[in-house]
Amino acid sequence: MSDVIRLLPDHVANQIAAGEVVQRPASVVKELLENAIDAGANSIKLIVKDAGRQGIEVIDNGVGMSGTDARMAFERHATSKISRTEDIFQIRTKGFRGEALASIAAVAQVDLRTRRETEELGTHIVIHGGELKSQEPVVTPVGTMISVRNLFYNVPARRNFLKSNQVELRHILDEFHRVALAHESIDFQLISNDVEVFRLTGTHTAQRILHIFGKKMQGQLVPVNEETDVVKITGFIGKPESAKKSRGEQFFFANNRFIKSGYLHKALQHAFENLISPGEHPAYFIFLEIDPEKIDINIHPTKTEIKFEDEAAIYGQLRAAVKHALGQYQVTPALDFDRPDWDIPIMKQNRDLKMPEIQVDRNYNPFQTEFNLRGMTTPGAGGTFHHYELETHAKPSPELFSKAEETPLKVMQWQQAYLITEYQDDLLLIDQHRAHQSVLYQKFIKSKNKNALSQQLLFAIEMELSHNEKEKIKNSEEFWIGYGFDFVIDEDLLMVNAIPGDMQSDMILPLFQDFLSSDEAISTTDPADELAKYMAKAASIKKGTRLGVDQMQHLVQELFALEQFIYSPFGKRIFKSINLHEISKFLD
Ligand code: ADP
Ligand code: MG
């Protein structure tokens, strides 16, 4: 029998390699944007047609290529970025494998125009399916324009594998966001089917985040800044109250390269523990700078998975950095009982006395004290409240509060806004509005889709809607009905005929107004939960409502029977505990 092993022809090898690098239009977008960045461009334009199926074009003002280099660039393993094995450990560029252009050209029709500053004429190269069609001089600006048309035209199996335009465009947007976030000082433009989707001018990271994700991020970002021998961590995290039910904006970058890391994600989650409920996801934009020798970005062709030499240390430092950031910026509500002076109410009669302003100590780190306390106090029945604030599952058992017959729960109302009660040797200050809101929220959620009890109204409640508002209500109709609402929309008029059994008619208009004016309502993955928040807000007792002793006792018991009794559905702290020791310190 004769020998059977042969070397694959180049174009076949390239097509096979393309399978790894080019999975979908978004992969092409990523590689081309990265090449433009590696070329030193400070202005990059991306044009896509038909979610990249028909065409992807990237225009940059980088250094460009000579004629020979332009031709070479399409050879496999042709790269200007590394030449020796050692270079792999010092990578500062995005690309280095020299595979992208060869792979893309193998499965599409590519048109490249490029010129260097030192040359008068540039080069125009056309390659179809890996085959050089033409190469000639051309008049073209300094930089590179590369157009990739009819992706997978010669690999029907792959073309058929693509998802809907909507999905493919989503992937393109993701890649665009990642690159734009990691290179905030570069101008980027994105045009899709002749519509300008983004025009980003070079700026700093926080501004870039706002430009990309919109004003809704304003006031929601907390800076993270930490540097150790191993890693420098910078970036931003979303405040806990802005956490969402859906996994939204979560980004890790290592040396300005977007990376995926389930492991580091855990570190972040860990840092947010007890600050958000288990189903919620905080936003984060974390930039790690590490000595390139200490990471290996070579383990995957798309280079999004990397290995850290000292993974565990980075985990710990990331977690600490985020915790520190959360603590330093007092992400807990602005009105915090940690700071006010307790002697004020007593001296109130003195009219000349000025209320001291609440001072925020930026270096104050609530986690630190709480962690210290945690180790100190562990009495059998439960410990102090500081302890509970850290343990998600442990809590003052409702029974402790419900042995009403033996020792009635002592509760008093202060300023018609706060309830004051005690638990062991802690004094508790409870925000009555937030407490009730949380109780109702969890009740509503339990009632959703269970044919909630509904009451028919004698007179319909009417409200004029704008076009957008009408859409919003229509899109969320099923969730309203699930809670026992019944309404019709006639032209621009909303007429509510029935409302949930435990709401009152005067709550309804404010509820709809509040709901309609929120940006997020309904766009989340769990619109029913989102709606429950607004219902709870509308139906809960407000500040300024006088409560009877029974009502207060009942509310306190209900609150501490909840699974989530630390933060309100809007992420605000519900109560604060002050330990006996702290009080004696106040009075020192
Ligand atoms: P890699 O980026 O891994 O080096 P590519 O196949 O993406 O491999 O590109 C091959 C080479 O072509 C690069 O090393 C670079 O020298 C050159 N190149 C590609 N795109 C550009 C561009 N937009 N501007 C200038 N040079 C480019
Ligand atoms: Mg490249």
Side-chain angles (χ1 to χ4, degrees), residues 31 34-35 38 81 94-96 100-101 303:
E31 295 297 336
E34 291 189 347
N35 278 350
D38 285 345
K81 297 164 194 173
K94 309 276 117 182
F96 58 88
L101 289 186
K303 296 168 280 186

Side-chain angles (χ1 to χ4, degrees), residues 29 60 74 96 130 158 160 194 229 308 331 393 529:
V29 166
D60 72 53
F74 291 97
F96 58 88
R158 303 214 61 132
N160 297 337
D194 301 320
D229 294 345
F308 298 101
V331 177
H393 302 295
D529 286 8

Side-chain angles (χ1 to χ4, degrees), residues 475-488:
N475 290 338
S476 56
E477 191 170 347
E478 56 175 306
F479 308 111
W480 294 90
I481 293 171
Y483 284 119
F485 284 90
D486 180 35
F487 53 73
V488 287

